[in-house]
């Protein structure tokens, strides 16, 4: 094989290190709040421990450990008998202690997996480990960019927020797969109630990427350990969204292919994803593990966690729930997937389906409500405290007090655009379902006023009936039921 052919036939190998902030009330090693207050001042949610003052001791937050155990169970990971904490030593201004408290050789979760569906194919992504650690503070370069800033500010309010770092095996073969995986991971974390995706910076990704000889990829898609170890890889940092991961990786793969095409070697290095410019830039040659001088944190004893796995329950997860929605409510895969996309949507659907027809509930929640929200670039979480109002709207449709057409096209849309409740829209627009008498009067007058259409109908032109139905609908302001009007008209005309 010529060198040129070899460089063209490269397979992509990607592994992720995903940092997720855990939703606990307080920080992981002290009692400071994790919840940013509105307009809070920098360096106000701090104490001697998270500021790293001499003599201050860490106390492990039980809720953070519980969240970690839930994540481990959801990822089908092993949870060891005991777990320990280590100091990862490095100097950076956002790290007041000059070390990060993290886990090293006894992480709380190891050897798990997460199944994702890529282009209709089920893929299992291996989870090497997931460990607990503390978030550093945040740095702000005054004047914007690191190059132009005259000085840099540091805020320790975030320092000590619990993080779970989830490290995957190098099992991804394309940027699109990482995006699907991250969405699925977020979905699972939200179901567990340990994570808030809407919080700024709650998910941060480091993406490792290398190109290997395509001939080395086995039939099942795996790559031999020795090939992985030999491949020079870039670690791309500063990715903060699913889309960002896909874009940064696509860029980085093209960059690496071009380097190889020019006959040069890929550097083993850490690169920075510049979201605004859409490029990755070299930060530093990759640090080796020994650079961090890991050693046991003597101020935190080993934690016995062997029985936590049995003690801490987790809710039904998205995959299981999707399957149950299929069997229990007779939903097809697409509807079941939409309705389990977030726990809040699934809970709302089950609430409605428990009281009304499940098919009606599925149409209203999956198609109408989610469709109209999506059109307005809203999520269900944006209307969390109005779910009762949407339920009342569905109830009016179920009770046939409102036509489906009016409910969908007028009431739901006005509810979302005007922030009104369903009753207010119905009152204002006069949409209450027409009284029986009113419909019959409208049917009579449609017949009386349109002799030509009536004659056409009697001559066998069945289309004429649609015209007459239209006249009645207009007369009743759309509040009559078209099927019923059709029946009434035929009764009169044929009788
Ligand atoms: P480090 O601690 O130096 O970052 P690790 O060996 O712990 O290195 O691996 C970190 C990440 O790199 C993991 O997500 C792993 O899947 C990924 N990885 C390992 N080998 C490769 C490779 N050849 N190409 C891409 N990613 C890789
Ligand atoms: Mg790393
Ligand atoms: Zn503190």
């Amino acid at each position: 094989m010529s060198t040129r052919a070899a460089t063209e036939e490269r397979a992509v190998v990607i592994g992720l290190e995903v940092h997720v902030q855990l939703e606990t009330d307080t920080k992981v090693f002290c009692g400071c709040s994790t919840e940013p207050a509105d307009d809070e001042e920098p360096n106000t949610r701090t104490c001697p421990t998270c500021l790293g003052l001499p003599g201050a001791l860490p106390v492990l937050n039980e809720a953070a450990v519980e969240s970690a155990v839930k994540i481990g169970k959801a990822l089908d990971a092993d949870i060891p008998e005991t777990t320990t904490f280590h100091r990862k030593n490095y100097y950076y201004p956002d790290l007041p202690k000059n070390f990060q408290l993290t886990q090293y050789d006894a992480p709380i979760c190891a050897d798990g997996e997460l199944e994702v569906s890529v282009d209709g194919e089920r893929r299992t992504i291996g989870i090497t480990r997931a460990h607990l650690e503390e978030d550093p503070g945040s740095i702000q370069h005054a004047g914007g960019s690191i190059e132009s800033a005259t000085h840099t500010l540091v805020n320790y309010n975030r320092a000590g927020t619990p993080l779970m770092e989830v490290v995957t095996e190098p099992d991804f073969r394309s940027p699109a797969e990482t995006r699907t995986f991250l969405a699925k991971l977020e979905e699972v974390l939200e179901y567990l109630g340990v994570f808030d995706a809407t919080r700024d910076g709650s998910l941060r990704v480091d993406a490792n990427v290398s190109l290997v000889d395509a001939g080395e990829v086995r039939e099942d898609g795996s790559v031999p350990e020795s090939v992985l170890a030999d491949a020079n890889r870039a670690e791309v940092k500063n990715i903060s969204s699913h889309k960002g991961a896909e874009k940064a990786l696509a860029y980085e793969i093209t960059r690496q292919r071009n380097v190889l095409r020019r006959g040069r070697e890929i550097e083993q290095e850490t690169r920075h994803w510049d979201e605004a410019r859409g490029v990755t830039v070299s930060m530093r040659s990759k640090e080796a593990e020994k650079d961090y001088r890991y050693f046991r944190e003597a101020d935190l004893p080993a934690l016995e966690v062997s029985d936590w796995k049995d003690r801490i329950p987790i809710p039904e997860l998205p995959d299981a729930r999707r399957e149950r929605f299929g069997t229990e409510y007779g939903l097809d895969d697409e509807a079941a997937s939409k309705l389990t996309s977030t726990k809040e949507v699934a809970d709302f659907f089950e609430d409605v389906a428990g009281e009304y027809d499940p098919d009606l509930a599925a149409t209203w929640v999956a198609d109408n409500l989610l469709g109209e929200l999506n059109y307005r670039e809203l999520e269900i979480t944006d209307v969390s405290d109005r779910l009762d109002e949407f339920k009342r709207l569905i109830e009016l449709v179920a009770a046939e007090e409102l036509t489906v057409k009016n409910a969908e096209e007028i009431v739901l849309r006005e509810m979302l655009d005007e922030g009104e409740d369903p009753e207010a829209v119905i009152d204002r627009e006069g949409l209450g379902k027409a009284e029986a008498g009113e419909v019959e009067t409208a049917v009579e007058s449609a017949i009386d006023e349109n002799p030509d259409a009536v004659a056409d109908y009697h001559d066998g032109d069945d289309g004429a009936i649609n015209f007459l139905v239209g006249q009645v609908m207009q007369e009743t302001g759309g509040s009559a039921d078209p099927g019923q009007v059709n029946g009434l008209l035929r009764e009169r005309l044929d009788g």
Side-chain angles (χ1 to χ4, degrees):
M1 206 189 284
S2 76
T3 315
R4 180 154 185 92
T7 58
E8 307 258 307
E9 283 168 54
R10 292 278 171 166
V12 172
V13 175
I14 301 167
L16 300 180
E17 293 160 273
V18 188
H19 298 83
V20 291
Q21 282 185 343
L22 300 178
E23 271 285 281
T24 52
D25 294 337
T26 54
K27 294 183 179 179
V28 60
F29 298 117
C30 65
C32 293
S33 170
T34 53
E35 193 60 52
D38 290 338
D39 301 324
E40 73 179 8
E41 293 286 318
N43 301 307
T44 48
R45 269 190 293 120
T46 54
C47 71
T49 297
C50 56
L51 286 177
L53 299 187
L57 294 173
V59 177
L60 182 57
N61 180 346
E62 184 175 3
V65 181
E66 283 183 4
S67 298
V69 170
K70 286 181 187 170
I71 294 171
K73 285 179 77 164
L75 297 177
D76 214 2
D78 297 334
I79 292 172
E81 292 275 306
T82 53
T83 188
T84 54
F85 288 87
H86 273 67
R87 296 183 176 191
K88 179 179 181 180
N89 296 281
Y90 65 99
Y91 172 78
Y92 204 64
D94 63 5
L95 198 66
K97 294 195 292 276
N98 291 343
F99 62 83
Q100 180 190 32
L101 268 184
T102 181
Q103 300 198 282
Y104 183 56
D105 52 0
I108 190 152
C109 309
D111 200 11
E113 60 182 45
L114 185 64
E115 207 178 82
V116 294
S117 167
V118 186
D119 297 330
E121 195 196 327
R122 305 303 279 177
R123 290 272 327 270
T124 301
I125 302 297
I127 306 293
T128 317
R129 55 186 277 142
H131 64 252
L132 262 176
E133 60 187 26
E134 57 182 337
D135 212 350
S138 40
I139 274 182
Q140 197 189 326
H141 301 295
S145 86
I146 193 163
E147 288 92 5
S148 61
T150 52
H151 57 283
T152 293
L153 302 165
V154 63
N155 179 359
Y156 295 119
N157 285 348
R158 194 182 73 181
T161 299
L163 287 184
M164 192 73 170
E165 177 174 343
V166 180
V167 181
T168 78
E169 290 289 301
D171 284 346
F172 302 97
R173 293 292 168 267
S174 74
E177 286 181 11
T178 66
R179 185 173 175 176
T180 311
F181 171 85
L182 290 169
K184 176 69 178 284
L185 180 65
E186 260 195 24
E187 190 180 298
V188 169
L189 295 172
E190 290 213 295
Y191 261 73
L192 294 173
V194 301
F195 174 71
D196 177 6
T198 63
R199 202 192 253 191
D200 229 19
S202 57
L203 177 123
R204 276 126 50 201
V205 182
D206 298 344
N208 298 269
V209 54
S210 67
L211 298 177
V212 300
D213 198 331
E216 301 280 9
V217 181
R218 298 193 194 100
E219 196 75 39
D220 65 357
S222 67
V223 178
E225 288 290 333
S226 57
V227 176
L228 293 173
D230 285 349
N232 273 0
R233 64 178 196 260
E235 178 169 351
V236 183
K237 292 195 177 275
N238 192 42
I239 300 171
S240 55
S241 68
H242 315 169
K243 233 199 205 150
E246 194 176 12
K247 279 206 260 177
L249 283 164
Y251 174 89
E252 180 58 21
I253 290 163
T254 306
R255 189 191 68 81
Q256 291 191 14
R257 281 192 198 285
N258 289 339
V259 169
L260 292 173
R261 226 163 254 159
R262 286 187 217 108
R264 298 214 301 264
E265 291 247 321
I266 304 294
E267 298 279 334
Q268 179 103 341
E269 63 179 350
T270 302
R271 299 181 70 87
H272 175 92
W273 169 237
D274 186 334
E275 175 97 49
R277 294 198 296 141
V279 297
T280 67
V281 285
S282 180
M283 278 167 78
R284 54 176 183 259
S285 62
K286 195 166 166 29
E287 58 293 297
E289 194 176 285
K290 66 175 182 341
D291 296 335
Y292 291 122
R293 305 177 312 282
Y294 279 96
F295 60 86
R296 265 292 301 280
E297 166 59 75
D299 293 331
L300 285 170
L303 183 70
E304 305 267 346
V305 277
S306 49
D307 64 328
W308 288 47
K309 201 169 180 175
D310 300 326
R311 197 159 59 70
I312 298 167
I314 59 169
E316 185 183 29
L317 294 173
D319 282 348
R321 203 167 191 185
R322 179 154 41 237
E323 245 166 64
R324 181 169 63 77
F325 277 18
T327 48
E328 190 171 333
Y329 301 109
L331 301 177
D332 63 33
D333 219 40
E334 194 189 335
S337 294
K338 263 196 204 170
L339 289 169
T340 49
S341 60
T342 72
K343 186 165 183 295
E344 191 161 8
V345 168
D347 287 345
F348 182 53
F349 165 74
E350 290 217 272
D351 180 20
V352 177
E355 280 175 55
Y356 312 107
D357 174 40
D359 279 338
L360 179 87
T363 305
W364 269 87
V365 179
D367 299 339
N368 299 346
L369 181 58
L370 292 184
E372 294 293 334
L373 286 172
N374 187 37
Y375 177 72
R376 290 164 179 76
E377 294 184 8
L378 294 172
E379 308 270 347
I380 189 125
T381 43
D382 295 311
V383 292
S384 290
D385 41 9
R386 298 185 65 198
L387 292 179
D388 277 352
E389 293 175 25
F390 297 114
K391 196 171 162 189
R392 290 209 302 277
L393 173 62
I394 300 170
E395 183 183 334
L396 290 170
V397 177
E400 296 190 9
E401 284 177 36
L402 192 62
T403 65
V404 170
K405 193 172 155 64
N406 283 341
E408 270 177 34
E409 292 176 12
I410 302 177
V411 183
L412 177 58
R413 291 178 189 173
E414 301 262 306
M415 282 174 72
L416 290 169
D417 291 337
E418 308 296 333
E420 291 173 314
D421 64 25
E423 293 80 7
V425 182
I426 291 165
D427 265 5
R428 180 162 49 72
E429 302 285 328
L431 298 178
K433 204 152 194 182
E435 303 282 328
E438 194 190 328
V439 177
E440 297 202 353
T441 313
V443 166
E444 297 291 347
S445 56
I447 291 173
D448 288 348
E449 288 163 19
N450 299 285
D452 291 351
V454 171
D456 288 347
Y457 174 77
H458 284 130
D459 287 344
D461 176 5
D462 212 51
I465 198 92
N466 294 331
F467 171 79
L468 293 169
V469 171
Q471 295 303 109
V472 177
M473 294 306 290
Q474 205 171 353
E475 184 70 27
T476 55
S479 58
D481 176 62
Q484 186 204 1
V485 171
N486 192 307
L488 282 172
L489 281 164
R490 285 181 196 277
E491 233 170 70
R492 288 294 139 79
L493 295 169
D494 297 342

